[in-house]
Amino acid sequence: MHRTEGSADHRWWRNPLFLLLLFCAIALIIAIAITIKQTSNHQPDAPSANNMYSRDKTALIVSSNHYKKPDYNEVYRHTNSIEELNRYLKTLDPYSKYLSSEEATFIKKRNRKKRVGIGLDLLVGEKKILGVPKQDSPAYRAGMTLPAYLHSIDDNKIVYNDFNSYAFLTELNPGAVVRVKLENSQNPQKSSYAIEVASYINEPILYSADNGTLFIQITKFSGGENSRLKNILESSTKSDKLVFDLRHCPGGDLYAMVDMLSFLLEEDLEVASLEKADGRNELSLMTLPDRIISDIPLYVLVSEFTSSTAELFAWALKTHYPEVKVLGEPTQGKCLAQDMIQLNNGSILK
């Protein structure tokens, strides 16, 4: 009797229903484990090794917006860190970049019309940074009236590819005095400047008139400056020569540039077009019927720092304006329009 009961107790696990349930339970556990592993490896809001940003959102933005339309999975594979992401973006083109929230804040402050600082625009050259003094800025008043390559500020070495070496420039307090040392200055007496930090106005367009020549310097194309340029040209219609200085202009608003060209060219000229990755035109930009200047000699000054929309401005005038000369150095050759797409953590994909 005891033996029969014992045999039944030891055979319950052989029940087919129990074996089926056991198999299903094991399969479910394995499936859950795989799902958890995949989720942890591809978490939509997972942080990168450097700063917090969404890997999958970053990959989606790049794959959807870059004109080369890179594969999402290929982009995602390179989002483990900011350094790796930027190395990958550089394989797509020389200009796309992930900017940290600190870099994004720096750019916003530098784009303000009213600034607090020493009064230098920074332009990255061949492994150097050119400091371009703004007119009537603290640097200009301290005697630094010409652009020069920077060596250091307050003994902090300025490195062209190290944001932290110049990030402090937007955090200086009014009244502070900083010493700017120039790179390889030929004149020892002008190799360094003591500059008092103060507020100043950043004018994207400056002009002067002398002996019949109207000289216009543009350091950035901005929609808010169209009326200013129009007023300058309308008040100087008796000038014998017109000079546009774009030597320190890295570009700006494409639509503003086309509007400004409309003051100088015939209407309905196609001066720029945006193309899709397959080469088809997405948008053609035409000049408007706003021409003011048409028949005086025109000169355009360019340099290695002339880039993007500034290059298109020079090219359009060289192509369509009857009496124009473009003088200076070869420009950057950048014919790519850029978007600045802000992420949730304040960083930017350029």
Side-chain angles (χ1 to χ4, degrees):
M1 186 71 178
H2 289 293
R3 182 178 176 182
T4 304
E5 291 177 354
S7 297
D9 288 343
H10 285 85
R11 291 194 185 99
W12 62 270
W13 52 270
R14 294 184 180 180
N15 188 305
L17 182 59
F18 169 77
L19 292 176
L20 179 61
L21 292 174
L22 180 62
F23 175 79
C24 291
I26 293 172
L28 181 61
I29 292 172
I30 292 173
I32 292 173
I34 292 173
T35 301
I36 292 174
K37 187 175 189 308
Q38 289 178 339
T39 303
S40 63
N41 289 339
H42 205 286
Q43 179 62 252
D45 292 318
S48 70
N50 275 314
N51 293 334
M52 299 283 288
Y53 72 101
S54 170
R55 292 183 62 192
D56 75 323
K57 183 176 181 181
T58 298
L60 182 62
I61 290 173
V62 175
S63 62
S64 300
N65 291 275
H66 196 279
Y67 77 98
K68 289 186 176 179
K69 300 298 181 186
D71 179 69
Y72 168 86
N73 292 319
E74 177 66 13
V75 181
Y76 184 87
R77 194 166 64 84
H78 294 282
T79 57
N80 287 306
S81 69
I82 292 173
E83 290 78 9
E84 184 180 356
L85 174 60
N86 277 330
R87 282 195 297 270
Y88 172 73
L89 292 176
K90 206 163 189 178
T91 67
L92 299 178
D93 70 83
Y95 310 104
S96 293
K97 188 178 181 182
Y98 175 92
L99 303 174
S100 67
S101 57
E102 292 79 14
E103 291 175 288
T105 300
F106 181 89
I107 289 174
K108 288 177 182 177
K109 288 184 177 179
R110 298 293 291 181
N111 285 336
R112 292 174 181 169
K113 191 155 187 177
K114 187 174 182 180
R115 299 180 183 173
V116 174
I118 58 177
L120 294 178
D121 276 347
L122 304 183
L123 301 177
V124 178
E126 186 63 31
K127 296 186 178 181
K128 294 181 180 179
I129 288 187
L130 186 74
V132 183
K134 303 297 293 184
Q135 187 171 317
D136 295 327
S137 70
Y140 196 93
R141 293 192 291 268
M144 186 177 173
T145 57
L146 297 175
Y149 287 105
L150 303 182
H151 176 273
S152 61
I153 298 179
D154 278 349
D155 295 326
N156 294 300
K157 175 71 174 177
I158 301 297
V159 183
Y160 81 102
N161 60 352
D162 181 7
F163 167 72
N164 292 321
S165 71
Y166 55 85
F168 62 91
L169 289 175
T170 59
E171 304 299 330
L172 298 171
N173 295 317
V177 177
V178 298
R179 187 166 294 276
V180 175
K181 184 176 181 181
L182 306 183
E183 187 87 32
N184 300 325
S185 174
Q186 300 296 322
N187 187 343
Q189 293 181 341
K190 293 186 177 181
S191 62
S192 62
Y193 295 87
I195 303 173
E196 182 177 347
V197 177
S199 61
Y200 64 98
I201 301 298
N202 170 37
E203 290 286 4
I205 297 179
L206 296 171
Y207 76 100
S208 61
D210 184 40
N211 292 327
T213 299
L214 176 62
F215 187 90
I216 300 176
Q217 181 187 38
I218 300 178
T219 56
K220 183 180 180 181
F221 287 93
S222 170
E225 299 300 314
N226 289 0
S227 59
R228 175 174 167 79
L229 178 59
K230 184 177 182 179
N231 291 336
I232 292 170
L233 294 174
E234 286 179 336
S235 62
S236 306
T237 52
K238 295 182 179 181
S239 298
D240 299 325
K241 289 193 285 285
L242 176 59
V243 179
F244 278 99
D245 184 358
L246 305 179
R247 289 175 296 173
H248 305 117
C249 182
D253 189 319
L254 178 63
Y255 301 100
M257 182 274 295
V258 176
D259 288 346
M260 292 183 186
L261 278 173
S262 300
F263 303 144
L264 306 163
L265 301 177
E266 296 177 0
E267 64 178 294
D268 292 330
L269 290 175
E270 182 182 18
V271 295
S273 65
L274 300 177
E275 293 184 353
K276 295 182 178 180
D278 57 9
R280 291 184 300 173
N281 280 6
E282 185 175 6
L283 180 65
S284 294
L285 302 179
M286 317 293 289
T287 52
L288 303 172
D290 293 328
R291 195 173 194 181
I292 300 170
I293 302 293
S294 60
D295 57 357
I296 65 173
L298 193 154
Y299 301 84
V300 183
L301 308 182
V302 297
S303 77
E304 63 174 301
F305 299 104
T306 307
S307 177
S308 192
T309 51
E311 291 178 286
L312 285 173
F313 186 86
W315 170 85
L317 290 176
K318 184 177 180 179
T319 304
H320 299 293
Y321 193 90
E323 294 186 66
V324 65
K325 291 182 180 179
V326 179
L327 308 172
E329 304 168 324
T331 60
Q332 284 192 23
K334 179 187 176 185
C335 290
L336 296 173
Q338 281 184 302
D339 283 328
M340 305 283 274
I341 302 173
Q342 187 155 353
L343 302 180
N344 291 337
N345 67 341
S347 59
I348 283 178
L349 271 172
K350 183 171 70 169

